[in-house]
Amino acid sequence: MKSSEHNDELIEILLSDVLEVYGYDFTGYSRASLKRRILRLYEMDKFVSFAEYRYKIRNEPGYFKRFLEEITINVTEMFRDPAFYKTLRDEILPRLGTYPFIRIWVAGCSTGEEVYSVAIFLKELNLLQKSLIYATDINSEVVGNARQAMIPLNKLKLYTENYIAAGGTENFIDYYTANYSLGKLNDELKSKIIFSTHNLVTDNSFNEFQLILCRNVLIYFDRPLQNKVFELFNNSLEKFGYLALGTKETLDFSSVAKNFERLKGEKIWRKIHE
């Protein structure tokens, strides 16, 4: 590919192809990181021309799956940001425990580490049996991986440290069985999780929740797209429900900010108005 300006033009063409052929709308995604990942894949797969790259994405759904996997961010770990999970465990989940039934949505669930972290804390608080967690992502490939409930054993030291720092009270080792290089998480955790693909940009609300977690997804969206997603979350949350975002994300300047108040400390907001 040629100059930066030329690249920008080609990337816009590619994104409009993806919208037209597959219905995935990346036009509101932050350009810098998206461009970087698109060009990285182009170089990694050694295309000789942009025309060839574009043709393959447009006409081969199998390759489009690879494209989607490479350009959507799937960086995650269990109990990531332990201080956040400690607040969830000590303050939010016990309050939700007063409801007869708890519905939680983990949006942008990636390979599922965050979902299983929530399920573990629900179990420790004796709330898992009356809970349902909806785990969604735009990328069907990573949703499939999340459904497997497998974690790499080389990450278990980190996950165990995070779990302890987040206030876990059991032995983390009891939540999985080791199998070669992978650990399989207990089936009981998975029994209360519904995995499915959902596009935050184009799909509608599908239930009413008391807690929505969407952490480290919106940093890749531009402001208008963030607003659109916040409106979706506002429509999907019960009054007095909670919305949890990533450390670099905020609800403060959105069109629905007036309906929420922020809790002290973590990036968690409570819906106080319909």
Side-chain angles (χ1 to χ4, degrees):
M1 290 200 194
K2 300 166 194 168
S3 70
S4 178
E5 206 173 295
H6 184 59
N7 285 350
D8 291 349
E9 205 177 300
L10 297 178
I11 283 163
E12 294 309 317
I13 292 168
L14 196 58
L15 294 179
S16 95
D17 282 354
V18 165
L19 179 58
E20 179 199 328
V21 179
Y22 299 101
Y24 285 90
D25 188 355
F26 289 104
T27 51
Y29 278 55
S30 153
R31 276 299 177 272
S33 59
L34 197 57
K35 178 181 171 182
R36 197 165 54 246
R37 295 194 300 275
I38 289 172
L39 294 177
R40 182 175 162 270
L41 181 61
Y42 177 86
E43 281 156 18
M44 215 160 54
D45 288 357
K46 299 181 166 56
F47 285 98
V48 293
S49 71
F50 178 78
E52 182 195 10
Y53 189 36
R54 183 185 176 196
Y55 180 86
K56 204 165 172 72
I57 291 166
R58 274 192 75 103
N59 296 288
E60 293 183 21
Y63 188 75
F64 173 69
K65 266 172 90 172
R66 171 165 167 72
F67 173 79
L68 192 61
E69 210 170 313
E70 288 297 326
I71 69 162
T72 53
I73 304 287
N74 298 301
V75 178
T76 185
E77 63 189 48
M78 292 190 79
F79 303 100
R80 184 183 188 183
D81 306 324
F84 164 79
Y85 275 95
K86 189 152 180 48
T87 302
L88 199 66
R89 185 199 166 91
D90 295 349
E91 295 178 36
I92 310 298
L93 296 180
R95 286 185 205 169
L96 297 187
T98 61
Y99 289 84
F101 193 75
I102 305 167
R103 285 183 305 278
I104 296 170
W105 179 14
V106 181
C109 71
S110 188
T111 43
E113 282 81 349
E114 189 160 29
V115 187
Y116 291 111
S117 303
V118 173
I120 284 170
F121 275 173
L122 285 168
K123 179 176 163 50
E124 290 185 8
L125 295 164
N126 293 315
L127 298 173
L128 187 60
Q129 285 314 307
K130 65 167 188 174
S131 301
L132 205 49
I133 309 171
Y134 292 80
T136 67
D137 199 277
I138 189 175
N139 186 335
S140 59
E141 201 80 10
V142 298
V143 171
N145 290 342
R147 210 177 267 122
Q148 302 295 315
M150 306 294 266
I151 49 175
L153 289 181
N154 62 6
K155 292 194 174 170
L156 282 172
K157 184 175 179 290
L158 170 66
Y159 292 177
T160 305
E161 287 166 1
N162 285 354
Y163 167 75
I164 292 165
T169 53
E170 307 299 317
N171 280 325
F172 188 66
I173 199 167
D174 294 337
Y175 289 112
Y176 66 90
T177 46
N179 182 359
Y180 299 105
S181 64
L182 294 169
K184 172 114 176 62
L185 290 161
N186 299 352
D187 285 344
E188 185 190 1
L189 299 173
K190 198 163 83 165
S191 67
K192 293 296 180 178
I193 304 171
I194 294 171
F195 290 99
S196 120
T197 53
H198 180 276
N199 187 333
L200 287 172
V201 181
T202 55
D203 294 344
N204 295 328
S205 175
F206 55 92
N207 212 323
E208 206 170 27
F209 300 94
Q210 289 103 13
L211 170 63
I212 297 174
L213 290 91
C214 184
R215 303 182 68 238
N216 308 305
V217 176
L218 298 174
I219 44 172
Y220 301 108
F221 294 2
D222 65 16
R223 185 61 62 77
L225 195 50
Q226 286 180 7
N227 259 325
K228 194 174 176 184
V229 176
F230 285 139
E231 279 170 21
L232 170 69
F233 290 157
N234 182 55
N235 294 335
S236 305
L237 264 183
E238 275 186 14
K239 192 175 180 186
F240 304 124
Y242 297 90
L243 172 64
L245 302 177
T247 51
K248 296 185 176 75
E249 297 165 333
T250 184
L251 183 67
D252 288 349
F253 308 105
S254 76
S255 51
V256 297
K258 62 186 181 305
N259 296 342
F260 290 82
E261 66 177 11
R262 187 177 162 189
L263 276 62
K264 284 193 179 71
E266 296 303 314
K267 292 289 189 76
I268 301 171
W269 283 260
R270 192 176 198 198
K271 184 176 176 181
I272 51 170
H273 301 297
E274 286 292 358

